[in-house]
Amino acid sequence: MAQHIFNGLVGGSFLALVALGLAVIFGMLRVVNFAHGAIYMLGAFLALSMPSFWWALILVPLVLAAGGMVLERTLVHRLAKLDPLYNFLLTFGLTLIFQDLVKWRFGVQSTPYPTPGGLTGSVDFGAFDFPAYRVFVLAMAALICFGVWFLLSRTRVGLIVRASTERPELTQALGINVGRWVTPVFGFGCALAGLAGVLAAPMRAVHPLMGADLIIVVFAVVVIGGLGSIFGSVAAAFVIGVLQALSEAYLDSALVSQILVYLVMAVVLLWRPSGLFGREESPA
Amino acid sequence: MRRWAILCAVALTAAAGCGGGGPAGSGSGKLSDGKVVFGVLNDQSGVYAQLSGKNSVEAVEMAMADYKAKYGDKAVVKELAVESVDHQNKPDIANAKAAELYDRKAVDAILDVPTSSAALKVADVAKEKKKLYFNITAATTDLTGKACNKYTFHYAYDTYMLANGTGKTVTDQGAKNWYLVYPDYQFGQDMTASFEAAIKKAGGSVVAKDPAPFPNASGDFSTYLLKAPSLTPKPHVLGTMQAGAELVALVKQYNEFKLREKGVGLAVGLMFLTDIHSLTPDALAGTTYTDAWYWNYDLKSREFADRFQKETGTRPTFAHAANYSAAMQYLEAVQATGTDNADEIVKYLEGRTVEDVFLRNGKIRAEDHRVVHDAYLAQVKPSKEVAEPWDYVKVLKTIPAAEAFRAPSADCKL
């Protein structure tokens, strides 16, 4: 039991990192970034071209943050004033472009990526032992989620971002240039997705559709947590990760684990339409 | 008088065409529209795109070129074409596209079609349109069982062949207790049933079996890998029925969880050369599986593989070789009968023994249209034994055509 819960937390780590980026971007820009899954995939593929896993861990998020900021300035920004549907379509189109570019360059087969040296062993937890790399992934995810929480709730930058998220006009009126923060926040969200991609490379199949498969689940996770709620997204990600692992381990039917996340989403939406930790949208 | 002359002429050409003896005279022939069109319907963008995909089209084009080179001026078919369509592994798309290929693109024979659920839909279309269909890449035995029909041929392999090769051999080698993990759809369910039967027959037992979600959104199989060593009795071997990218993820995680060190071996239900390439041979070293064909088996295969590599840059999987073979055998049938009439071709192919680069001791069974041929028990080499790129496998033994496939099923009524 304990080992399955632990394993679920590792699975939840990926959901959490991707969902966190999605939630931060949605909170600040009101943009549902469909391309987030493709950025996760790009993170994994960029890791292949780096000299080592450790360099990838640092450089890939930086590269994707820069790429994300360019994207925001050149494309997303232009559609921000229009109906949100336009940006949804734009990012969906970008997803297809990224996927096909990667297919064209790397082919559709999975690309090999070794477990980083030093993390190939196992960690003994007494009752069970667990691959060291997975323990590392969980630790990284926990550290980053904590870091983001700290940044948002305990620093001046976080204060501005939160204020801009909740009452953009009022924040503007207080003399803070809200527009200036939009681009870095978008880049930051992309960096998180890229980091998750790097972490996924050694333990999952690296192929062009890896993000397309994941992003649907992440959307459901974000809705469960409450759109725009950062804490909610992270909490929901870990809860879904654990539930998924337990359902796979103890139920005889794959159907339940397959639809579990959507089932939870439906129940949560019926009970609290704005998600577990979301607040009702105030009428504009 | 002129009317009589015309009738005579028609009768004569017809006689020449059906005469069976020499190739059918003048190029005007009896081809319905003066040309033969192949339709390659497969996955060109998803998990099975590498093992079949665009390179299957390439293989069919190689067959077309070889046919032209072989017969030159005597070729009955003067004009050859190939249409390719991505069915995205979705049965409904496969269904619609198959009908479109036959009706609108004037396709004479559909080839390839991976993904069992999609393959079965196409069999229904072939039956309805009375057009030929050579399934290469789908595994379900239903194609030659309850879903069989007069116009469908199942060419390369099936779940019985894989289970009978791998399940039986590994059990015979002493791995009596199995834990089976499979993707929860037609292919995985069929494979698991076939493996269970083969394992029991060989005196082994299945300790547990778990269906995994398909498609697996997270690409994570760790739950089953954690569970494997703690089952009682402890399984000797984990049998995975995952394919393509899912197989790659599962094997990666199998190594990560160090199951081999914990005494749980690995047996793979269906594996393609491209999967081994993705995982690197060391990740799979020692794993036994059943192969329908191997590019470096002998000189004949090798020569084909060299030409294929020149065209595509990679070595062919068995699916590619089988696509080549099916296209070639179809063209040979048209050449011999002088017609592209599907019923005539079926009559010609039924019961025929065939020998080519893919089919060794091949026979097209008349009872159920299963194309039987030698299969191979193969083992993945560790990288230090890999002498040249893509030569990842050694063939342990040849399973003779007569034993490799099941006897014709009573469910099949052509």
Side-chain angles (χ1 to χ4, degrees), chain A residues 3-4 7 11 103 107-113 115 120-122 129-131 133-134 200-207 209-210 213-214 217 244-245 248-255 257-258, chain B residues 44-50 182 184 209-224 226-227 230 244-246 248-249 252-253 256-258 262 274 277-280 314 390:
Chain A
Q3 71 204 55
H4 289 301
N7 190 37
K103 271 181 203 168
V108 284
Q109 77 198 79
S110 306
T111 314
Y113 196 89
T115 308
T120 49
S122 301
D129 60 337
F130 215 78
Y133 182 72
R134 285 181 183 243
M203 59 180 264
R204 292 185 173 174
V206 180
H207 64 109
L209 295 178
M210 61 188 288
D213 295 340
L214 188 76
V217 178
Q244 191 102 37
E248 281 175 5
Y250 295 104
L251 297 177
D252 269 339
S253 153
L255 186 68
S257 22
Q258 197 154 17
Chain B
Q44 311 211 333
S45 51
V47 286
Y48 304 141
Q50 201 68 25
Y182 60 97
D184 200 9
K209 50 179 177 169
D210 271 321
F214 177 85
N216 190 320
S218 63
D220 201 55
F221 296 92
S222 46
T223 313
Y224 314 109
L226 269 173
K227 194 172 162 182
S230 59
E246 295 202 340
V248 172
K252 239 180 192 183
Q253 292 153 20
E256 202 188 342
F257 279 89
K258 304 202 182 308
K262 288 177 185 161
T274 40
H277 184 71
S278 292
L279 281 161
T280 70
T314 69
W390 293 96

Side-chain angles (χ1 to χ4, degrees), chain B residues 14-234:
Chain B
C18 303
S26 64
S28 67
K30 297 216 312 175
L31 297 184
S32 51
D33 50 1
K35 64 174 179 179
V36 161
V37 185
F38 289 111
V40 176
L41 181 60
N42 64 15
D43 177 6
Q44 311 211 333
S45 51
V47 286
Y48 304 141
Q50 201 68 25
L51 58 91
S52 67
K54 297 230 184 322
N55 286 351
S56 289
V57 182
E58 203 70 51
V60 171
E61 279 172 353
M62 280 171 69
M64 285 158 35
D66 286 359
Y67 168 79
K68 278 183 194 155
K70 183 173 173 188
Y71 290 103
D73 289 344
K74 294 206 175 66
V76 170
V77 187
K78 299 293 183 203
E79 209 183 331
L80 278 162
V82 58
E83 294 281 342
S84 76
V85 178
D86 186 355
H87 73 6
Q88 300 167 34
N89 299 320
K90 295 191 177 109
D92 49 336
I93 296 184
N95 190 33
K97 292 293 175 187
E100 190 184 318
L101 283 172
Y102 285 136
D103 288 344
R104 304 242 302 271
K105 310 272 185 185
V107 160
D108 295 288
I110 288 183
L111 302 168
D112 216 3
V113 198
T115 308
S116 294
S117 42
L120 290 168
K121 288 276 186 203
V122 177
D124 291 343
V125 180
K127 183 181 178 186
E128 186 198 321
K129 309 278 181 198
K130 301 195 188 321
K131 290 282 179 72
L132 282 165
Y133 167 36
F134 297 90
N135 184 282
I136 312 288
T137 334
T140 178
T141 45
D142 281 354
L143 281 170
T144 52
K146 61 177 191 272
C148 78
N149 67 62
K150 186 180 171 186
Y151 301 95
T152 299
F153 293 86
H154 199 190
Y155 215 83
Y157 75 114
D158 61 26
T159 53
Y160 178 91
M161 180 203 105
L162 298 170
N164 190 48
T166 312
K168 181 179 180 306
T169 314
V170 176
T171 310
D172 283 346
Q173 284 166 353
K176 299 288 177 209
N177 296 331
W178 287 69
Y179 173 42
L180 299 177
V181 177
Y182 60 97
D184 200 9
Y185 77 113
Q186 178 105 32
F187 164 76
Q189 293 151 1
D190 286 358
M191 283 290 278
T192 304
S194 296
F195 260 79
E196 268 192 288
I199 291 163
K200 288 207 177 107
K201 207 171 137 198
S205 74
V206 175
V207 177
K209 50 179 177 169
D210 271 321
F214 177 85
N216 190 320
S218 63
D220 201 55
F221 296 92
S222 46
T223 313
Y224 314 109
L225 300 168
L226 269 173
K227 194 172 162 182
S230 59
L231 289 164
T232 40
K234 189 170 132 181

